[in-house]
Amino acid sequence: MTFLWRTAPAAVLLATVLPLSLAAPATAYADAVAEGGAPCRTTQSVPLDAEQARLADARTTALVERAGFGDFVRRFPAALCSARGSAEAGRLADAWGGALWQAAVRRAQGERPGGDLAAADDRPLYWARLAMTAALARWEPDFTVDRGGLRARFEDASRGLTDNAFKAAPGVRRVFISGFDPFGLDAELRRANPSGSAALQLNGRRITLADGSRAEVRAVVLPVRYADFDAGIVERAFAPRMAGGPGSADIITTVSQGYPGIFTLEAWAGRSRSADPYPDNTGSLSGGTREHPVTAPGLGPGPEFIETTLPAHAVTSAVQTPYPVFLNTEVTEIPAGASGPVDRADGPTPGSRAVAGGGGGYLSNEVAYRSNRLRGELAPRLPGGHLHTPVLTGLPADARVLTGPEFESNESAIAAEVRAVLEHAAAGG
């Protein structure tokens, strides 16, 4: 069958591109034939970034195939080769990214069967996206393209940043959340991120709040990469939800993986990066340490610390199982007139320099700061804050085994409790 990739919308891609073929090996991902039978021009010698280089591990291919996403990766190069110009290539990036996102959401919500991994597993989306960006890096079109711009368009679409608006419905509240990709993969390649899983399971869902009212949830999954934050991905994700009108949220919260065994609502987000030497997913460092914090590039004006406006008591007084939920008021600051960092249990002092919010000095703190700084600028009455989930545990001891009952049960339990938190926060807000 011949597919007209350059004109196919995302809905058609979802319907026709994705038979659940699970047989092709990882090497087949580099092979492609353009429409009409012409060989696809790719260069396998193009260096990949440190995040994409992990695709050399066969377990990443297995995670994609065992979710039924292999055809996305196999067929994307041929789709690129069918493009007749840069504008067409941009539309392809949008359509394929959007189709991948919708497939991941539908799978997470049990609407798209395929493969033997648990539906809630967020890892196949991550590794399929990376493999497709690697194909984009290796593509050799015979016309000039803005490769970085194409990747940004594909990434945005495959993360829920585009074509993911609330459906206007009278009396239905609008809840907007963000999750994250897996990270810490050099230590354990099989890691997942329960915040990303929760985002996929909740995106587009109607939920019943604690007060009996209804709400619609929309979600995005953000990269664990400093460069994307520097380029404004958080602001691109959240600004449309604060613009006013039916497309705006009634409550926002960023979500990330945090501490073992507990949920925490973070009372404070700090302006600084201070997590080095811990790298992002590309191996990059922020340049900021506990002793010498740095301000993240691209930030608009704002205070050193921003306090949550989520109704913390409504959550912590009602949601405590299977994991306890606490309000975390800790921060690290350099007090006014001092030169060294001080840990404080009860929030910042006047005139201090932020070192870390309750969520630390890494990107989980920064997504909270960036989104809530924007909230203060565009929609100051909007409730907003940050939720840390428990660390997802339960991977089998055998590194060749990608999943197991305990791992899957824990991921589902965390996502269910994220939903419960939102049901009380949105009602209380």
Side-chain angles (χ1 to χ4, degrees):
M1 181 181 293
T2 299
F3 295 97
L4 299 180
W5 305 115
R6 62 180 182 274
T7 59
V12 174
L13 293 176
L14 284 169
T16 62
V17 174
L18 305 174
L20 302 179
S21 171
L22 303 178
T27 53
Y29 285 176
D31 300 331
V33 176
E35 187 181 346
C40 185
R41 294 175 55 193
T42 62
T43 302
Q44 297 305 304
S45 61
V46 169
L48 302 179
D49 65 32
E51 189 173 27
Q52 294 165 332
R54 297 189 186 98
L55 294 164
D57 190 309
R59 292 174 296 176
T60 68
T61 301
L63 286 165
V64 173
E65 295 291 348
R66 290 177 61 182
F69 288 175
D71 278 335
F72 272 109
V73 181
R74 278 186 289 276
R75 298 182 178 185
F76 187 51
L80 289 172
C81 286
S82 74
R84 300 296 185 262
S86 59
E88 213 170 83
R91 291 192 292 270
L92 278 166
D94 295 340
W96 279 77
L100 179 62
W101 169 255
Q102 291 298 331
V105 168
R106 291 176 62 226
R107 187 177 189 281
Q109 297 179 13
E111 298 174 2
R112 184 183 186 274
D116 64 344
L117 288 180
D121 200 316
D122 65 304
R123 297 172 295 175
L125 170 61
Y126 173 74
W127 292 111
R129 182 195 299 115
L130 267 185
M132 293 168 80
T133 63
L136 182 58
R138 289 167 166 166
W139 174 45
E140 284 194 335
D142 56 6
F143 51 86
T144 301
V145 293
D146 174 5
R147 204 177 297 270
L150 281 180
R151 177 167 180 176
R153 289 177 68 163
F154 174 80
E155 290 257 3
D156 280 6
S158 68
R159 294 180 177 282
L161 271 71
T162 61
D163 195 24
N164 194 21
F166 289 106
K167 299 183 185 302
V172 177
R173 294 175 65 80
R174 298 177 295 274
V175 179
F176 186 66
I177 68 171
S178 67
F180 270 112
D181 285 344
F183 65 103
L185 300 169
D186 288 332
E188 172 55 84
L189 189 79
R190 299 174 296 164
R191 279 181 176 154
N193 194 322
S195 70
S197 175
L200 291 172
Q201 291 181 65
L202 289 167
N203 185 63
R205 282 279 178 88
R206 292 280 178 91
I207 62 175
T208 301
L209 304 183
D211 62 2
S213 63
R214 297 284 285 167
E216 178 184 349
V217 182
R218 290 287 164 176
V220 296
V221 177
L222 298 173
V224 184
R225 297 191 296 245
Y226 286 116
D228 292 72
F229 274 53
D230 296 348
I233 193 170
V234 176
E235 289 78 5
R236 291 201 308 277
F238 280 86
R241 318 297 178 162
M242 304 177 188
S248 290
D250 294 308
I251 185 171
I252 65 166
T253 186
T254 52
V255 187
S256 65
Q257 183 175 233
Y259 308 100
I262 62 171
F263 276 85
T264 54
L265 284 170
E266 303 302 338
W268 299 94
R271 189 173 174 83
S272 298
R273 292 174 175 173
S274 58
D276 292 359
Y278 193 81
D280 71 4
N281 273 351
T282 68
S284 300
L285 299 175
S286 72
T289 65
R290 177 180 167 87
E291 290 71 28
H292 301 285
V294 298
T295 300
L299 278 179
E304 288 294 305
F305 290 96
I306 297 176
E307 189 172 12
T308 185
T309 55
L310 292 176
H313 179 72
V315 174
T316 58
S317 64
V319 183
Q320 291 292 324
T321 57
Y323 301 95
V325 184
F326 300 103
L327 177 66
N328 180 22
T329 59
E330 296 178 355
V331 299
T332 303
E333 65 175 15
I334 298 176
S339 58
V342 175
D343 296 325
R344 292 186 55 83
D346 54 354
T349 56
S352 66
R353 169 80 191 276
V355 175
Y362 194 49
L363 290 171
S364 58
N365 168 77
E366 188 170 326
V367 73
Y369 185 90
R370 283 183 178 268
S371 60
N372 284 281
R373 191 211 66 80
L374 194 66
R375 176 184 59 78
E377 180 180 298
L378 300 180
R381 299 183 65 182
L382 183 70
H386 186 79
L387 175 68
H388 262 125
T389 75
V391 174
L392 177 58
T393 60
L395 281 170
D398 187 342
R400 297 168 297 179
V401 181
L402 300 180
T403 189
E406 182 184 358
F407 174 78
E408 294 171 4
S409 175
N410 290 345
E411 189 163 46
S412 293
I414 291 171
E417 194 161 340
V418 169
R419 176 172 175 162
V421 168
L422 296 177
E423 288 168 354
H424 286 82

